[in-house]
Amino acid sequence: MTRYEFTYNQEIGHQGQSLVPHFPGGDSGVTIGPGYDMGGRSPEEIYADLTRVGVDTEIAQVLAQAAYKTGDDASRWISQHGGLYITEEQQRALYEEVLVPEYEQRMQSQLIHFAENHESITPDMVEVDHLSARQKHILFDYTYNAGLSKFPTLVEAVLREDWDEVSRHYERFSAGEPLFYRNEMFYQTFLDPEAVDQFEKSVEINREIIAIEGMLDDIAANDIEEDAQRLQDEDSRLSAD
């Protein structure tokens, strides 16, 4: 299961576009996976992040050349470098292991800054551990897509859990046009009264599954260590004989 599943699904889009280098437009850089923008990253960072999640070293080396390229430079780079792609498993790992921690940190930083500049918001209101799952997922999504500073009215309403006010300010736009699909899915997931309870339940189930998966990984790792130790002990015994 994936943390912040809503954001992940919105960022990967449809028909595998996210699996290949693409250019979202504007001042963005060459992007791959669920919003991994290379326009502000160094070659070393890109290579380390991609190989960490299993991308082939040769592909990672080529993608690292897209570092710092934005706008027209990014668009040209993509037109000159066809045939590159990552797998669905790799893009999910890139999101989970690299992007989620990065944007959680950004979210916390932006919330602290927001509280410092809004007298009505107290420091405890922006503590991530104090946020409900609904608040956290919404704020994470706006951090990921555009940044919290662009939506002060919405952010304050979310922190106050004033969902009527959130319903009046949740829509996002790109180049002056509404993001119809994302806006509709956002409403259905976080604001539709019939869906909110289901969302809370799904988050709890997701959290439990992630915890179980972590436990199973630990058990598997321990079994491997124990097997290796048994083999080593057996080798030592045979050598002694």
Side-chain angles (χ1 to χ4, degrees):
M1 300 296 291
T2 302
R3 290 179 293 167
Y4 305 107
E5 187 84 21
F6 174 84
T7 302
Y8 178 77
N9 289 334
Q10 294 301 309
E11 292 295 327
I12 63 173
H14 307 283
Q15 300 177 341
Q17 177 187 1
S18 60
L19 300 177
V20 299
H22 55 279
F23 175 57
D27 295 327
S28 296
V30 177
T31 301
I32 198 163
Y36 185 81
D37 188 335
M38 293 176 269
R41 303 177 190 271
S42 70
E44 295 78 14
E45 179 184 3
I46 294 168
Y47 182 83
D49 287 342
L50 294 179
T51 54
R52 172 184 171 186
V53 299
V55 175
D56 181 80
T57 55
E58 292 185 4
I59 293 176
Q61 286 173 347
V62 177
L63 289 171
Q65 297 171 16
Y68 302 130
K69 289 179 171 55
T70 60
D72 291 341
D73 288 341
S75 181
R76 278 193 295 271
W77 190 92
I78 289 173
S79 67
Q80 297 166 0
H81 294 82
L84 300 172
Y85 66 92
I86 62 175
T87 67
E88 291 187 11
E89 182 181 17
Q90 289 164 355
Q91 83 165 353
R92 188 175 289 272
L94 185 62
Y95 181 72
E96 285 276 8
E97 298 178 25
V98 176
L99 293 168
V100 166
E102 177 181 315
Y103 278 91
E104 281 186 327
Q105 188 173 38
R106 289 191 192 185
M107 177 174 68
Q108 181 67 86
S109 177
Q110 290 179 23
L111 285 172
I112 291 172
H113 184 265
F114 188 86
E116 291 172 347
N117 290 275
H118 292 78
E119 294 182 359
S120 61
I121 302 300
T122 60
D124 63 295
M125 291 174 67
V126 298
E127 283 289 337
V128 172
D129 291 342
H130 294 170
L131 299 175
S132 69
R134 187 182 184 188
Q135 288 174 302
K136 190 181 298 185
H137 280 245
I138 290 174
L139 293 169
F140 181 87
D141 190 58
Y142 278 82
T143 301
Y144 209 102
N145 182 257
L148 299 182
S149 63
K150 296 182 179 180
F151 304 93
T153 303
L154 176 128
V155 171
E156 182 169 356
V158 171
L159 292 172
R160 292 185 172 282
E161 298 187 90
D162 183 346
W163 302 115
D164 288 337
E165 185 73 357
V166 173
S167 295
R168 289 190 283 270
H169 297 280
Y170 73 92
E171 291 186 311
R172 279 172 277 193
F173 298 79
S174 177
E177 296 295 325
L179 298 175
F180 288 110
Y181 181 76
R182 192 169 194 138
N183 290 338
E184 178 62 24
M185 294 307 298
F186 182 90
Y187 180 84
Q188 290 182 17
T189 304
F190 299 112
L191 298 175
D192 185 339
E194 295 183 3
V196 170
D197 287 343
Q198 184 61 38
F199 166 75
E200 295 286 353
K201 291 177 183 177
S202 68
V203 169
E204 183 59 33
I205 292 171
N206 194 1
R207 186 182 297 117
E208 292 175 358
I209 290 174
I210 290 172
I212 292 171
E213 288 175 343
M215 291 171 59
L216 292 175
D217 288 342
D218 290 342
I219 292 171
N222 289 336
D223 287 345
I224 291 172
E225 290 179 5
E226 290 174 2
D227 288 344
Q229 185 62 50
R230 279 197 297 269
L231 289 172
Q232 186 176 2
D233 292 344
E234 183 66 16
D235 287 345
S236 298
R237 186 184 65 79
L238 292 173
S239 297
D241 292 344

